[in-house]
């Protein structure tokens, strides 16, 4: 099913010089061709290099990123990460950690001209809805995926294994299954609670064998100045091996991700000496997890 909006279509026309040619054919044929282009490797290459060719050549030579961050978020702490907590929503059936994103670090070339359509991830839609929902009232899940693709996925796309939205999102889902943070913590007796406080060292000890020693456990500070568990960032090599040494300075790299004004604030490493809460999810009033 193709659900491309007219607006998407317009954007596509503007950013990709090859498209006007296709549009002059017929709208139906235009869609067919567009579909073919996105599934056929050879054509897709032509399509890419048909536009902005000099920039794209740089992309080819500059696919120099080596490390990436896979970030999982705990919906029970997400609302506390917002300036306006009531902007969050947690869909009824979301009860575990969800994906925030997969971000190549220091990628040189990202392309907002690589369009993203519903049909690109149609076959993953159910899974993405479950594991990668938008937790913002103002943003649909599709919008969230689209934004992540444009900001991060397209930067990864110079590597063969990532070079389509479908492949990128498939890898993200695979990683989400690989890193089942809820279960890892639960098996160690670390469960959401309104009363219990946890220390970051406890979590790190449990997570380390599964996500490597370069992971980061992130907290946010809520309006009552409490530290609240929010995200886990896992560092990966481009071949998806856990850990990645390239730049040496782990902290600098871990700070990269989303800057201010680009979606929710990023949180900070949970302080080593201040215990934090792992709040349960409250679907009715997610910004007040404990009433
Ligand atoms: C990327 O390409 C630009 C432009 O050609 C070049 O100046 C730069 O050195 C390249 N960077 C890397 C890491 O290859
Ligand atoms: C949650 O609900 C959405 C939409 O109602 C549905 O698409 C999805 O499959 C559900 N997930 C689970 C785990 O039941
Ligand atoms: C993955 O990449 C890392 C870093 O480049 C390398 O050390 C490792 O051997 C690679 N692993 C596999 C399975 O290719």
């Amino acid at each position: 099913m193709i659900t491309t909006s007219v607006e998407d279509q317009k954007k596509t026309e503007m950013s990709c010089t090859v498209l006007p040619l296709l549009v002059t054919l017929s709208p139906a044929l235009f869609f067919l061709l567009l579909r073919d282009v996105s599934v056929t490797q050879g054509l897709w290459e032509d399509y890419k290099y048909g536009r902005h060719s000099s920039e794209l050549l740089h992309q080819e030579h500059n696919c120099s990123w080596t490390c990436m961050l896979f970030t999982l978020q705990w919906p029970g702490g997400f609302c506390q990460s917002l300036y306006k907590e009531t902007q969050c929503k947690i869909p009824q059936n979301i009860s575990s950690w969800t994906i925030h994103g997969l971000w190549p670090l220091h990628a040189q070339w990202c392309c907002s001209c690589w369009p993203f359509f519903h049909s690109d991830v149609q076959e993953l839609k159910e899974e993405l809805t479950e594991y990668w929902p938008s937790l913002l009232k103002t943003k649909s899940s599709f919008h969230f995926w689209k934004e992540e693709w444009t900001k991060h996925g397209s930067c990864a796309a110079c590597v063969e294994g990532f070079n389509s939205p479908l492949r990128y999102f498939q890898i993200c889902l695979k990683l989400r299954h690989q890193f089942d943070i809820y279960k890892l913590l639960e098996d160690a007796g670390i469960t959401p609670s309104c009363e219990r406080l946890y220390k970051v060292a406890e979590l790190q000890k449990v997570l380390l064998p599964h996500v490597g020693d370069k992971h980061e456990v992130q907290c946010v500070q809520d309006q009552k100045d409490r530290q609240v568990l929010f995200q886990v960032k896992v560092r990966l090599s481009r071949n998806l091996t856990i850990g990645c040494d390239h730049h040496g300075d782990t902290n600098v790299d871990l700070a990269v991700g989303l800057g201010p004004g680009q979606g929710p604030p990023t949180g900070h490493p949970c302080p080593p000496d201040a215990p934090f809460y792992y709040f349960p999810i409250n679907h009715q009033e997610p910004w007040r997890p404990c009433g």
Side-chain angles (χ1 to χ4, degrees), residues 58 61-62 64 108:
H58 288 166
H61 296 303
N62 256 333
S64 54
Q108 310 239 331

Side-chain angles (χ1 to χ4, degrees), residues 28 40 46 54 106 152 167-169 176 179 200 212 237 257 269 272 279:
T40 311
D46 293 345
S54 60
H106 308 297
H152 305 285
R167 287 186 183 187
Y168 175 76
F169 286 99
R176 167 60 183 78
F179 305 123
V200 67
S237 297
F279 280 142

Side-chain angles (χ1 to χ4, degrees), residues 112-184:
S112 61
C113 69
W114 192 321
F116 178 69
F117 300 107
H118 283 275
S119 53
D120 285 324
V121 289
Q122 191 60 38
E123 66 194 78
L124 303 179
K125 197 167 173 208
E126 265 180 44
E127 239 188 313
L128 287 173
T129 303
E130 181 174 349
Y131 294 108
W132 202 334
S134 164
L135 301 178
L136 283 174
K137 282 180 185 162
T138 50
K139 195 183 284 183
S140 71
S141 290
F142 179 76
H143 183 174
F144 186 24
W145 308 333
K146 184 174 176 145
E147 214 173 69
E148 289 291 317
W149 166 254
T150 304
K151 265 194 245 164
H152 305 285
S154 73
C155 325
C158 56
V159 171
E160 185 176 5
F162 294 98
N163 75 342
S164 72
L166 183 61
R167 287 186 183 187
Y168 175 76
F169 286 99
Q170 270 169 336
I171 289 173
C172 294
L173 287 169
K174 179 178 158 251
L175 291 170
R176 167 60 183 78
H177 294 304
Q178 184 179 341
F179 305 123
D180 189 347
I181 305 291
Y182 189 89
K183 181 153 193 319
L184 292 173

Side-chain angles (χ1 to χ4, degrees), residues 4-291:
T4 317
S5 72
V6 173
E7 202 174 301
D8 281 342
Q9 191 186 327
K10 277 203 199 118
K11 274 191 213 133
T12 308
E13 286 168 30
M14 284 188 302
S15 54
C16 306
T17 53
V18 66
L19 286 176
L21 262 180
L22 301 180
V23 173
T24 56
L25 297 170
S26 81
L29 194 50
F30 162 62
F31 281 125
L32 280 176
L33 284 171
L34 193 57
R35 287 289 290 154
D36 276 345
V37 158
S38 62
V39 293
T40 311
Q41 184 52 34
L43 273 176
W44 180 239
E45 293 282 328
D46 293 345
Y47 169 58
K48 281 200 299 185
Y49 294 111
R51 307 165 274 143
H52 312 305
S53 54
S54 60
E55 278 172 277
L56 283 153
L57 284 173
H58 288 166
Q59 176 189 15
E60 204 178 24
H61 296 303
N62 256 333
C63 192
S64 54
W65 61 271
T66 36
C67 303
M68 51 202 325
L69 283 181
F70 182 57
T71 301
L72 290 160
Q73 60 191 7
W74 172 242
F78 177 82
C79 306
Q80 283 71 22
S81 79
L82 304 176
Y83 294 111
K84 217 173 155 203
E85 297 189 344
T86 51
Q87 284 301 311
C88 72
K89 59 152 195 241
I90 305 178
Q92 267 318 311
N93 54 8
I94 299 296
S95 55
S96 190
W97 290 67
T98 59
I99 299 169
H100 184 170
L102 178 64
W103 310 324
L105 296 169
H106 308 297
Q108 310 239 331
W109 211 91
C110 305
C111 176
S112 61
C113 69
W114 192 321
F116 178 69
F117 300 107
H118 283 275
S119 53
D120 285 324
V121 289
Q122 191 60 38
E123 66 194 78
L124 303 179
K125 197 167 173 208
E126 265 180 44
E127 239 188 313
L128 287 173
T129 303
E130 181 174 349
Y131 294 108
W132 202 334
S134 164
L135 301 178
L136 283 174
K137 282 180 185 162
T138 50
K139 195 183 284 183
S140 71
S141 290
F142 179 76
H143 183 174
F144 186 24
W145 308 333
K146 184 174 176 145
E147 214 173 69
E148 289 291 317
W149 166 254
T150 304
K151 265 194 245 164
H152 305 285
S154 73
C155 325
C158 56
V159 171
E160 185 176 5
F162 294 98
N163 75 342
S164 72
L166 183 61
R167 287 186 183 187
Y168 175 76
F169 286 99
Q170 270 169 336
I171 289 173
C172 294
L173 287 169
K174 179 178 158 251
L175 291 170
R176 167 60 183 78
H177 294 304
Q178 184 179 341
F179 305 123
D180 189 347
I181 305 291
Y182 189 89
K183 181 153 193 319
L184 292 173
L185 295 179
E186 186 184 38
D187 288 350
I190 300 175
T191 52
S193 164
C194 288
E195 289 91 34
R196 278 183 71 179
L197 284 159
Y198 296 103
K199 292 208 181 93
V200 67
E202 281 178 83
L203 270 75
Q204 282 172 335
K205 190 167 155 234
V206 172
L207 295 177
L208 191 141
H210 306 276
V211 301
D213 58 356
K214 296 198 176 62
H215 71 275
E216 183 174 295
V217 177
Q218 288 203 318
C219 285
V220 286
Q221 197 163 342
D222 75 0
Q223 288 177 348
K224 294 180 181 165
D225 286 343
R226 295 175 295 196
Q227 296 291 332
V228 176
L229 179 59
F230 169 46
Q231 296 195 127
V232 170
K233 291 187 171 182
V234 181
R235 208 177 154 93
L236 300 167
S237 297
R238 155 168 159 159
N239 63 14
L240 304 182
T241 308
I242 293 165
C244 189
D245 262 334
H246 187 62
H247 284 280
D249 189 348
T250 314
N251 293 327
V252 168
D253 285 348
L254 284 167
V256 179
L258 296 170
Q262 296 182 284
T266 44
H268 52 257
C270 295
D273 43 359
F276 55 82
Y277 288 94
Y278 179 16
F279 280 142
I281 294 172
N282 175 346
H283 291 96
Q284 279 67 47
E285 293 187 293
W287 51 91
R288 290 204 311 182
C290 296

